[in-house]
Amino acid sequence: MKILVPVKRVVDPNVKVRVKADGSGVDLTSVKMSMNPFDEIAVEEAVRLKEAGKATEIVVVSAGIAAAQDALRTALAMGADRAILVDTDAEVQPLAVAKILKALVDKEQPKLVIAGKQAIDDDSNQTGQMLAALLGWPQATFISKLVPGADDITITREIDGGLEQLAVKLPAVVTVDLRLNEPRYATLPNIMKAKKKPLETVKPADLGVDVTPRLTILKVAEPPTRSAGVIVSDVAQLVDKLKNVAKVI
Ligand code: AMP
């Protein structure tokens, strides 16, 4: 079973982002970038399936600027076999990414696509779903467990009422949630080895995809700062404040 894993380069989750003065977006000057954390989980799951003899090849794909290669190299160091950079300076929005991935799925013929449930920069949570729709494949989102079968996979999803188990026929698209696994760190020897693994570069036009953005960002703003809290001395004072100051009871 060949597995395709899309990985996005995003602002590192430990960075406190700043909004640009003109409100046009987030300031990315000198900001540390990393692989989207959910995509690390997706890569880890694919590598575990390969280690268990259930997967034959892992292809990782990223759409973005040349620096997105860093995320691909990290995925290769974690254990992916091959990488494809879809090189573009345009801001690639979820529908464009889904179309790019559809073109690559048509070419690569994987049995399973394991994507992150969302990219932590735009929080769109759309790409996996759109890809499944474009392919006409079954999809299972926010999975926290994956058990491979012969022609299908059994997955677990965390939902409001508990855990939902679904059998999903392959080929399929799944998107992963936080509790699926704990991704490994790439070791130095594996980082060195990853430098020699194949990384192919293509342009969106080579795949017949127009990546022109369809959504326009009108304004990006910092969340309002919270005012300082008050320590109350007893329950009576708390009730009084809730009633007469916050006016919520
Ligand atoms: P989103 O729909 O943007 O929240 O992203 C969901 C998932 O789609 C991510 O976790 C990645 O697996 C994949 N994805 C989104 N954007 C890209 C991109 N530019 N390149 C590769 N994969 C992406």
Side-chain angles (χ1 to χ4, degrees):
M1 167 165 83
K2 191 196 266 194
I3 302 179
L4 190 112
V5 184
V7 301
K8 187 175 187 188
R9 176 177 176 266
V10 297
V11 173
D12 186 274
N14 298 312
V15 168
K16 190 174 176 326
V17 292
R18 286 180 320 270
V19 172
K20 284 188 200 162
D22 64 1
S24 62
V26 167
D27 188 357
L28 296 180
T29 327
S30 323
V31 164
K32 181 172 188 265
M33 306 292 283
S34 299
M35 190 194 316
N36 182 42
F38 292 107
D39 303 348
E40 287 182 352
I41 296 171
V43 173
E44 175 66 33
E45 196 64 17
V47 174
R48 288 187 191 189
L49 287 170
K50 191 166 175 210
E51 286 170 346
K54 306 288 182 195
T56 49
E57 190 185 22
I58 304 164
V59 182
V60 284
V61 178
S62 194
I65 57 172
Q69 283 184 41
D70 299 349
L72 291 172
R73 288 282 174 214
T74 305
L76 292 171
M78 287 172 72
D81 298 293
R82 197 152 62 76
I84 303 172
L85 170 70
V86 184
D87 181 23
T88 172
D89 290 338
E91 181 217 344
V92 266
Q93 295 178 346
L95 182 58
V97 179
K99 287 180 179 171
I100 285 170
L101 294 174
K102 154 95 171 66
L104 287 171
V105 166
D106 289 344
K107 190 166 161 240
E108 295 282 343
Q109 301 282 310
K111 269 269 176 91
L112 182 62
V113 176
I114 310 181
K117 75 164 178 180
Q118 73 194 64
I120 61 157
D121 49 2
D122 297 327
D123 279 346
S124 296
N125 176 9
Q126 295 174 356
T127 308
Q129 295 88 327
M130 285 176 169
L131 173 63
L134 290 174
L135 289 165
W137 285 8
Q139 61 174 293
T141 51
F142 317 145
I143 67 162
S144 55
K145 191 168 176 200
L146 189 161
V147 180
D151 296 323
D152 62 1
I153 49 172
T154 306
I155 60 89
T156 304
R157 317 174 63 226
E158 286 169 27
I159 56 169
D160 275 355
L163 299 176
E164 180 182 51
Q165 277 198 349
L166 296 173
V168 186
K169 277 234 155 63
L170 296 174
V173 177
V174 298
T175 73
V176 307
D177 214 334
L178 209 58
R179 272 174 285 273
L180 180 62
N181 62 47
E182 213 169 291
R184 70 196 64 193
Y185 287 106
T187 60
L188 193 59
N190 285 343
I191 293 172
M192 300 314 286
K193 269 191 231 154
K195 290 186 201 280
K196 295 205 180 101
K197 289 189 179 177
L199 192 156
E200 178 192 351
T201 301
V202 296
K203 295 272 181 196
D206 302 335
L207 303 170
V209 178
D210 175 8
V211 292
T212 311
R214 300 216 180 175
L215 307 169
T216 311
I217 295 172
L218 300 178
K219 190 171 174 235
V220 177
E222 301 273 358
T225 43
R226 286 176 60 179
S227 47
V230 183
I231 296 175
V232 291
S233 49
D234 53 28
V235 173
Q237 204 185 358
L238 173 66
V239 172
D240 176 62
K241 291 241 183 257
L242 290 173
K243 211 176 204 167
N244 301 314
V245 181
K247 297 193 168 51
V248 290
I249 57 171

